[in-house]
Amino acid sequence: IFSAVMGILAFYYFTRMTESEGRYRELFDNVNDAIFVVSPEGEGRGTFIEANTVAYQNLGYGKEEILRLTPADLDEHYALGQKSADHAPHLFETVIQDKNGKKIPVEVHSHHFQLSGRPAILSIIRDITVRKQNEIKLLESEQQLRELAAQLFNIQEIERSRISKELHDELGQAMMLLKFQVSGIHEKLT
């Protein structure tokens, strides 16, 4: 009876653990960002312990291929960003390379944690290609606005100068004529 009860309990806990792992895997694989779990050990470069489906798809690797890589294989700055002296969360931007050599600008958020009693690093990697393209468009737009403002200022200065010259010439002639007329009237009166 004891072994039967132990068997039932073991089956129950195994089933619950399998369900829990399934929920974890579902969450892990269905986020929009690439997620890597990295072991900080191994020649100072670390190795990938786990990666989600988005990581495989975005980088063009199969699961087995990506787990044979290190962060330095994707980008040396990414590997350097994995290590922070105080183990505080670390947020940085870098450019990683997919399997075909395409450069992908990314934002990496990494933090240290314990996985089964061993140190590990969780890195969430967001593709920021669209953001970078929009930043470039914004900078170009700002430059165009600055150029238009400078052109407007130049046109205003030219127009002010033209109006000033016209006023000076016309008003100057009118003032000179008025002066002669006042002088003539003054001579007649004296």
Side-chain angles (χ1 to χ4, degrees):
I1 291 183
F2 179 73
S3 63
V5 170
M6 289 305 290
I8 291 171
L9 286 175
F11 176 75
Y12 173 76
Y13 285 116
F14 178 74
T15 303
R16 297 284 291 174
M17 192 169 64
T18 305
E19 288 173 2
S20 177
E21 187 177 310
R23 283 193 299 267
Y24 156 77
R25 177 54 63 187
E26 188 73 24
L27 289 171
F28 189 71
D29 283 336
N30 285 302
V31 293
N32 293 327
D33 298 327
I35 299 176
F36 289 97
V37 178
V38 181
S39 169
E41 301 162 359
E43 298 177 21
R45 298 178 352 151
T47 55
F48 293 124
I49 298 170
E50 186 63 75
N52 69 348
T53 304
V54 174
Y56 310 142
Q57 291 171 346
N58 288 356
L59 297 175
Y61 290 99
K63 182 175 183 172
E64 293 75 27
E65 288 178 295
I66 214 160
L67 294 179
R68 286 192 301 263
L69 299 175
T70 68
D73 293 326
L74 300 178
D75 177 75
E76 73 178 54
H77 296 103
Y78 173 70
L80 294 173
Q82 292 293 317
K83 305 203 180 333
S84 63
D86 60 359
H87 295 305
H90 193 66
L91 178 66
F92 61 98
E93 290 183 7
T94 188
V95 177
I96 60 174
Q97 188 170 303
D98 71 5
K99 186 176 182 177
N100 297 322
K102 178 183 170 195
K103 303 282 187 186
I104 304 168
V106 295
E107 177 182 85
V108 180
H109 185 237
S110 295
H111 72 273
H112 294 259
F113 72 107
Q114 293 289 316
L115 180 66
S116 301
R118 302 191 72 187
I121 302 166
L122 177 70
S123 292
I124 300 171
I125 301 171
R126 176 166 289 162
D127 184 336
I128 57 172
T129 302
V130 173
R131 181 195 312 169
K132 289 298 183 182
Q133 290 169 345
N134 289 338
E135 286 175 2
I136 290 168
K137 288 178 185 176
L138 181 62
L139 290 173
E140 289 170 352
S141 179
E142 288 173 351
Q143 181 61 33
Q144 288 174 344
L145 283 173
R146 278 193 291 280
E147 290 170 3
L148 286 173
Q151 286 177 351
L152 179 61
F153 180 76
N154 286 339
I155 290 170
Q156 287 174 336
E157 286 300 310
I158 291 169
E159 189 63 17
R160 281 187 192 116
S161 178
R162 185 189 64 75
I163 290 171
S164 175
K165 185 177 178 184
E166 282 181 20
L167 283 174
H168 180 266
D169 290 350
E170 289 178 18
L171 197 56
Q173 289 176 4
M175 292 292 283
M176 195 58 105
L177 180 62
L178 189 58
K179 181 180 176 185
F180 286 136
Q181 288 174 347
V182 169
S183 285
I185 293 172
H186 186 272
E187 283 180 13
K188 286 183 185 177
L189 291 174
T190 52

